[in-house]
């Protein structure tokens, strides 16, 4: 029964598996808070664990605590060219594209220390936002007995994304955080700048 479950999980993730191989359960897809995919132009937040990196994480101090945030990227050239370059780098770094839907790409990265044993499986997502040249991304390690430690993924997802960005030679985009928090600016007559000084 365990072997059948492993094979079924592998089939659902698009990966081949041996009878002894154990694969972490795939994340849900859809519009739930923890689902992978794009919902209203945003990728999901990272979980409260040291296993994830995201350019759209909006949890403020929590994202900082788990070192989850990284700046989005700016690609060069056409959308088609950018997607093709990204897919090449995914393959070069050992990943496999499992979904491509217009501006959205998802890939899986697996690592094994012993034959028939999956030590880690990471789900990486990229979203080329409309009407600009920004690439938003998220990459998270699936829960397993190995990610239950305080060290999480040992920074592997963040390191992989940065390695990919550097290979692509795409720049980082500095943005104001947080997308769900409101920034309110108050001005006093004593300010040395702004409309009050005019």
């Amino acid at each position: 029964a365990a072997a059948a479950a492993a094979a079924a999980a592998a089939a659902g993730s698009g990966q081949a598996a041996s009878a002894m191989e154990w694969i972490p359960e795939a994340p849900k897809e859809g519009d739930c808070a923890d689902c992978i995919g794009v919902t209203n132009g945003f990728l999901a937040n990272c979980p409260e664990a040291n296993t994830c990196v995201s350019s759209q994480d909006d949890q403020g101090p929590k994202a900082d605590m788990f070192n989850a945030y990284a700046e989005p990227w700016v690609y060069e050239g056409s959308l088609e060219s950018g997607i093709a370059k990204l897919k090449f780098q995914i393959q070069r770094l050992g990943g496999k594209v499992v979904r491509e839907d217009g501006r959205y790409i998802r890939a899986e990265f697996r690592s094994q220390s012993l034959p028939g044993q999956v030590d880690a499986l990471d789900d990486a997502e990229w979203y080329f936002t409309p009407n600009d040249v920004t690439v938003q991304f998220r990459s998270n390690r699936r829960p397993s007995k190995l990610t239950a430690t305080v060290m999480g993924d040992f920074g592997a997802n963040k390191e992989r994304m940065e390695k990919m960005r550097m290979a692509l030679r795409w720049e980082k985009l500095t943005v104001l955080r947080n997308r769900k928090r409101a920034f309110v600016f108050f001005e006093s007559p004593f300010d040395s700048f702004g409309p009050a000084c005019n």
Side-chain angles (χ1 to χ4, degrees):
S13 64
Q15 301 284 351
S18 69
M20 296 178 59
E21 189 174 54
W22 177 81
I23 296 179
E25 183 180 356
K28 296 179 181 179
E29 298 183 48
D31 58 359
C32 64
D34 299 325
C35 290
I36 57 176
V38 180
T39 302
N40 297 324
F42 295 110
L43 302 169
N45 284 336
C46 282
E48 294 184 13
N50 295 320
T51 60
C52 181
V53 62
S54 172
S55 63
Q56 288 188 320
D57 193 290
D58 64 357
Q59 299 178 94
K62 288 184 180 180
D64 296 333
M65 179 187 302
F66 296 111
N67 197 28
Y69 178 75
E71 294 91 345
W73 306 339
V74 178
Y75 70 92
E76 297 179 351
S78 66
L79 172 64
E80 293 75 15
S81 174
I83 290 176
K85 290 176 181 178
L86 175 62
K87 290 168 65 177
F88 174 80
Q89 292 300 327
I90 291 172
Q91 185 177 16
R92 186 182 71 86
L93 292 176
K96 178 181 179 181
V97 175
V98 295
R99 172 157 298 188
E100 181 177 355
D101 184 10
R103 295 174 172 271
Y104 175 77
I105 302 289
R106 186 166 85 244
E108 293 178 354
F109 292 86
R110 294 155 49 107
S111 64
Q112 295 177 310
S113 61
L114 295 173
Q117 178 181 351
V118 176
D119 286 344
L121 205 161
D122 301 331
D123 296 288
E125 309 172 86
W126 296 266
Y127 178 50
F128 291 72
T129 58
N131 305 318
D132 61 26
V133 290
T134 305
V135 183
Q136 304 287 356
F137 59 86
R138 178 184 184 272
S139 188
N140 182 47
R141 181 152 296 179
R142 295 185 187 179
S144 71
K145 59 184 179 181
L146 294 174
T147 59
T149 67
V150 294
M151 298 303 295
D153 68 348
F154 296 91
N157 279 287
K158 198 166 195 175
E159 181 180 347
R160 182 190 299 120
M161 285 298 193
E162 180 61 11
K163 185 182 297 184
M164 186 176 294
R165 183 195 67 80
M166 293 179 67
L168 288 164
R169 297 183 179 180
W170 291 350
E171 297 294 329
K172 296 179 181 180
L173 176 65
T174 302
V175 297
L176 289 176
R177 298 166 65 199
N178 179 302
R179 73 173 186 256
K180 288 184 179 177
R181 285 186 286 176
F183 291 89
V184 180
F185 298 91
F186 297 94
E187 184 179 23
S188 78
F190 302 101
D191 288 339
S192 59
F193 58 90
C197 301
N198 294 334

